[in-house]
Amino acid sequence: GATLMSNHYRHLLEGVELADSVTIDAHKQLYIPMGAGMVLFKDPDAMKSIEHHAQYILRKGSKDLGSHTLEGSRSGMAMLVYAAMHIISRPGYELLIDQSIEKARYFADLIKQQDDFELVSEPELCLLTYRYLPPLIREALDKAEGTQKEKLNELINQLTQFIQKRQRETGKSFVSRTRLNPDQWQRMNTIVFRVVLANPLTTRDILSSVLDEQREIAKQAPSLTAKIEEMASDILGA
């Protein structure tokens, strides 16, 4: 939702005005600590659909806004949103949002230029996913069928998980991971690196170094990579 504050990229949310309600996680593009979520209703009366009451508090007719929250009360998190909207303001958010989207697109293009990485999902805003997948392994995974494809993919998943954990433990850089079911791989369970480009201090050099570090970490799992390469060779030699 915060992308609407970008004059350049607000078109990416075209049609949102047709929705009856919109949820926004302020922890993301509004740069607020976790826990600041909100829902906006086109019709204010629609709030009654999530209204709840109790005999000792939040009685019917009460003006306590806690009757429209899951918690039943409020921690004052709204003050952080209010303050950020006034301090960072729309021009500031527009700058942050534009940079994050452009940085994500740059990183996606950078990944595509590497023959040993695969961009799994393109960034719609500032989030993308990818994985380490050298050419030989990619070719074998594409050629393999049935259980053979699933076994090779599972080994690649193990390597992705190893790289992500070791990179986090090393502390030089960090990417999270998740599991997807991409169409290009017959919706197999696929563990991928998950990146949100939100930090305005992240440079292009840093993004390049993230990939370089992941390559080096892959070498720290020789038995696993050997097993993957052996299986790939068997598939391609068959």
Side-chain angles (χ1 to χ4, degrees):
T3 304
L4 290 173
M5 288 190 280
S6 166
N7 289 320
H8 190 66
Y9 291 110
R10 62 182 294 120
H11 70 276
L12 295 174
L13 295 184
E14 186 175 343
V16 69
E17 70 278 2
L18 302 177
D20 293 324
S21 63
V22 176
T23 57
I24 297 177
D25 182 1
H27 171 56
K28 301 298 183 184
Q29 288 178 301
L30 292 181
Y31 295 81
I32 303 297
M34 291 178 64
M38 62 196 85
V39 56
L40 307 178
F41 293 98
K42 180 182 292 185
D43 178 4
D45 287 338
M47 286 185 66
K48 294 177 181 178
S49 64
I50 60 171
E51 189 173 282
H52 57 98
H53 303 281
Q55 290 301 317
Y56 66 97
I57 195 173
L58 308 177
R59 298 179 182 86
K60 282 194 175 184
S62 168
K63 301 302 181 183
D64 190 332
L65 295 179
S67 62
H68 300 99
T69 70
L70 293 176
E71 297 96 333
S73 60
R74 301 238 173 170
S75 64
M77 188 66 73
M79 288 301 299
L80 295 180
V81 178
Y82 178 86
M85 292 296 291
H86 283 74
I87 295 172
I88 299 176
S89 73
R90 175 167 180 167
Y93 276 123
E94 181 172 25
L95 178 63
L96 289 169
I97 291 166
D98 286 356
Q99 286 187 356
S100 67
I101 293 176
E102 288 158 10
K103 206 168 294 183
R105 292 181 175 183
Y106 169 80
F107 194 36
D109 289 339
L110 181 65
I111 292 168
K112 290 177 184 177
Q113 293 168 18
Q114 317 303 311
D115 65 356
D116 53 352
F117 282 91
E118 176 197 20
L119 182 69
V120 178
S121 62
E122 295 272 359
E124 294 183 8
L125 296 176
C126 59
L127 186 153
L128 59 90
T129 63
Y130 68 102
R131 63 176 172 172
Y132 178 67
L133 194 68
L136 179 73
I137 314 305
R138 188 194 304 244
E139 184 182 355
L141 188 62
D142 187 53
K143 181 180 179 181
E145 297 179 351
T147 57
Q148 195 177 43
K149 182 187 286 283
E150 292 175 359
K151 288 180 180 179
L152 179 57
N153 188 68
E154 178 54 34
L155 289 175
I156 298 169
N157 284 344
Q158 292 177 28
L159 180 60
T160 304
Q161 186 169 327
F162 172 83
I163 294 172
Q164 190 273 334
K165 283 186 175 181
R166 182 60 59 87
Q167 191 167 33
R168 180 190 63 201
E169 293 165 357
T170 302
K172 291 182 180 179
S173 57
F174 170 78
V175 298
S176 63
R177 73 174 189 270
T178 189
R179 189 184 71 187
L180 300 178
N181 300 97
D183 290 334
Q184 63 264 38
W185 295 115
Q186 293 74 54
R187 301 193 61 78
M188 290 188 296
N189 289 335
T190 303
I191 295 178
V192 294
F193 303 125
R194 177 183 178 275
V195 179
V196 178
L197 276 302
N199 189 339
L201 300 181
T202 300
T203 64
R204 292 187 173 188
D205 287 342
I206 289 175
L207 294 176
S208 294
S209 69
V210 168
L211 299 181
D212 290 339
E213 185 183 15
Q214 289 173 335
R215 286 191 184 96
E216 291 303 311
I217 292 175
K219 298 176 183 177
Q220 298 173 23
S223 59
L224 180 55
T225 53
K227 190 181 297 185
I228 293 173
E229 290 170 359
E230 181 181 0
M231 187 172 185
S233 296
D234 290 342
I235 292 170
L236 295 175

